[in-house]
Amino acid sequence: MSKKDYYTLLGISKNSNNIEIKKAYKRLAMKYHPDRNKDKNAEKRFKEIKEAYEILSDNKKRNAYDQYGHEAFNQSYDNNFSSETSFSDIFGDVFGDIFGDNRNKNVNKGSDLKYNIELNLEDIIKGVNKEINIQTFIKCKYCNGKGTKKGSLPINCLTCNGKGQIQIKRGFFTFQQTCPKCNGGGKIIKNACNYCKSNGRIKKFKNLSIKIPKNLNDGDTVRITGEGEAGKRGGLSGDLYIKIKIKEHSIFKRDNNNLYCEIPINFTTAVLGGEIEVPTLHGRIKLKIPPETQTGKLFRMKGKGIKSLNNKFKGDLLFKVIIETPVNLTERQKKIIYNFDQTINNNYLNKNTPKINNFIRNIKIFLNNLK
């Protein structure tokens, strides 16, 4: 089933600014959060709203969504989406915006990672699976990410009673602040794991199989949720961002969804016309060259380019004709060309070379104007 439009979910227009996006999210999140709304569909609606907010509140992700739609994040939320945002987090964030509360809502979350990958044009056209090897923090297998020795468990912080936040009263208002004892983690480790030293994670290389969707552009980014650094002591993992770099191609040059190709043709074909074979994304086809074709002439095949990721619009395939000057001529061939040239130069009014004649005429006008 297709996903709903993120702007529609938040009830905002595509021109909404970040403040309007945040206000819409807070209003709907407080309405549909499962801690407050016991309707059986509330949790599903809340997840949709949170997902929409996470994309539209980030400028890079929003730009990718505006250009490619949900396809830009086809790996981002499959079964990894988390709704672990408490109602107090939303409530506190509303007042934090007003009174400057800078608390960290997830101090143990792992960092996001970036990885640059180079792909051929063929990979972009078809889509491809790529194996990559990255160095990152992974969950410590000896303590299962808890950060404690075997047989030992973290204990609740007595200062914040395991909540990671403490409340401070200022007049009529009550504010939440990160607990200074546990740094917001809510837990205290007394018997640290010997391998990860209480971090719950260790640094290692890991292999990943990455699915690259087709029809991406150079510079696009693919987000893979949960494949960044593992969080400390069971915290959420960060995300992995794959930045696409398309290698220079031996035949085609790409401009958005259009493909350009320079086709060399011989002198005879340019003068007399004929048919040549040209490459397309679906194999070779015949291209008819009319007589007296000039070098640089552009032939366009509509809808034979690359399909847009978002709106399924197909670009065009354009062929630029380049007339190749013959090389390594024999004496006989040179004589034939010389005789041919004599017939052109002796032609009445030089009708065979109108561009040359026009250029010579413009030179004369220019030089006379200088006198």
Side-chain angles (χ1 to χ4, degrees):
M1 187 175 67
S2 60
K3 287 187 175 183
K4 296 179 181 177
D5 177 74
Y6 287 149
Y7 292 99
T8 303
L9 279 169
L10 295 181
I12 57 177
S13 71
K14 290 191 175 183
N15 297 322
S16 298
N17 59 34
N18 287 339
I19 295 175
E20 292 168 332
I21 291 171
K22 179 171 277 191
K23 284 182 179 179
Y25 165 65
K26 296 299 176 359
R27 175 176 54 81
L28 293 170
M30 293 178 73
K31 178 179 179 181
Y32 289 103
H33 196 283
D35 290 349
R36 194 180 190 196
N37 191 328
K38 300 304 180 183
D39 186 271
K40 61 180 181 179
N41 295 319
E43 183 175 0
K44 179 183 176 183
R45 185 70 189 276
F46 174 74
K47 286 182 179 181
E48 293 176 338
I49 293 164
K50 187 169 185 282
E51 178 180 328
Y53 173 70
E54 287 184 352
I55 297 300
L56 299 184
S57 62
D58 184 294
N59 289 336
K60 289 185 178 179
K61 298 173 189 175
R62 183 179 180 181
N63 288 338
Y65 176 74
D66 288 343
Q67 188 172 3
Y68 301 115
H70 294 295
E71 288 286 342
F73 308 96
N74 66 339
Q75 300 188 61
S76 297
Y77 297 105
D78 287 345
N79 290 311
N80 301 316
F81 183 76
S82 172
S83 61
E84 296 176 3
T85 301
S86 68
F87 181 72
S88 62
D89 282 337
I90 300 168
F91 184 80
D93 198 28
V94 171
F95 287 94
D97 292 341
I98 301 172
F99 297 106
D101 178 11
N102 294 319
R103 65 195 177 92
N104 188 343
K105 291 187 286 186
N106 195 350
V107 294
N108 289 336
K109 183 176 180 179
S111 297
D112 294 336
L113 294 178
K114 294 180 180 179
Y115 186 90
N116 297 326
I117 190 168
E118 276 197 332
L119 300 173
N120 297 319
L121 180 63
E122 292 86 344
D123 296 330
I124 293 298
I125 292 169
K126 299 183 298 182
V128 68
N129 289 327
K130 285 287 183 179
E131 300 290 330
I132 66 172
N133 185 263
I134 57 174
Q135 187 179 31
T136 182
F137 282 105
I138 64 172
K139 183 189 290 186
C140 177
K141 64 180 181 180
Y142 300 101
C143 64
N144 198 29
K146 296 182 177 67
T148 60
K149 287 182 178 179
K150 190 173 182 180
S152 176
L153 292 173
I155 61 173
N156 281 344
C157 173
L158 297 179
T159 302
C160 63
N161 199 25
K163 294 179 179 179
Q165 304 287 322
I166 58 174
Q167 292 187 343
I168 299 175
K169 289 187 176 181
R170 293 179 185 171
F172 295 102
F173 296 100
T174 300
F175 301 91
Q176 290 193 43
Q177 179 178 302
T178 301
C179 175
K181 182 70 175 176
C182 64
N183 294 319
K187 301 288 183 181
I188 300 293
I189 293 178
K190 289 192 173 182
N191 298 309
C193 171
N194 293 329
Y195 296 94
C196 65
K197 309 302 181 186
S198 83
N199 278 324
R201 60 183 191 170
I202 54 177
K203 202 160 196 175
K204 277 194 172 183
F205 281 93
K206 72 173 180 179
N207 293 317
L208 288 173
S209 180
I210 306 300
K211 182 181 180 182
I212 305 295
K214 58 186 179 180
N215 302 331
L216 292 179
N217 268 307
D218 188 78
D220 282 348
T221 301
V222 178
R223 177 193 179 202
I224 304 174
T225 301
E227 291 295 353
E229 290 185 353
K232 295 180 181 179
R233 296 187 291 277
L236 295 174
S237 294
D239 299 333
L240 174 62
Y241 291 87
I242 308 291
K243 188 170 183 179
I244 306 300
K245 171 68 177 175
I246 303 177
K247 297 177 184 177
E248 187 174 335
H249 198 264
S250 60
I251 298 176
F252 294 107
K253 289 184 179 179
R254 182 178 178 183
D255 181 16
N256 292 323
N257 295 324
N258 294 330
L259 286 177
Y260 291 84
C261 179
E262 287 191 352
I263 303 292
I265 64 172
N266 61 45
F267 174 75
T268 306
T269 303
V271 173
L272 303 179
E275 281 190 341
I276 60 171
E277 280 193 339
V278 293
T280 73
L281 301 183
H282 304 289
R284 299 176 182 177
I285 62 171
K286 297 284 187 180
L287 177 65
K288 188 174 181 180
I289 304 296
E292 302 177 4
T293 293
Q294 301 296 312
T295 192
K297 182 174 176 60
L298 209 60
F299 294 88
R300 182 186 297 268
M301 293 186 177
K302 284 211 168 275
K304 297 294 185 180
I306 295 177
K307 184 181 289 187
S308 167
L309 192 64
N310 187 27
N311 57 21
K312 310 306 180 186
F313 170 78
K314 267 195 172 184
D316 300 333
L317 184 56
L318 298 104
F319 296 102
K320 184 180 180 180
V321 169
I322 304 296
I323 299 173
E324 184 176 22
T325 302
V327 297
N328 302 320
L329 297 176
T330 66
E331 290 301 320
R332 181 172 177 271
Q333 289 170 328
K334 290 178 182 178
K335 186 174 181 180
I336 292 172
I337 292 176
Y338 175 79
N339 291 334
F340 171 73
D341 185 61
Q342 290 297 107
T343 66
I344 290 179
N345 289 331
N346 293 329
N347 186 277
Y348 180 66
L349 295 180
N350 289 337
K351 290 183 178 179
N352 300 125
T353 55
K355 288 186 177 180
I356 293 176
N357 298 337
N358 188 54
F359 182 67
I360 293 173
R361 185 166 50 252
N362 287 335
I363 290 176
K364 289 179 180 179
I365 294 171
F366 170 70
L367 295 176
N368 287 332
N369 289 337
L370 289 178
K371 292 180 181 179

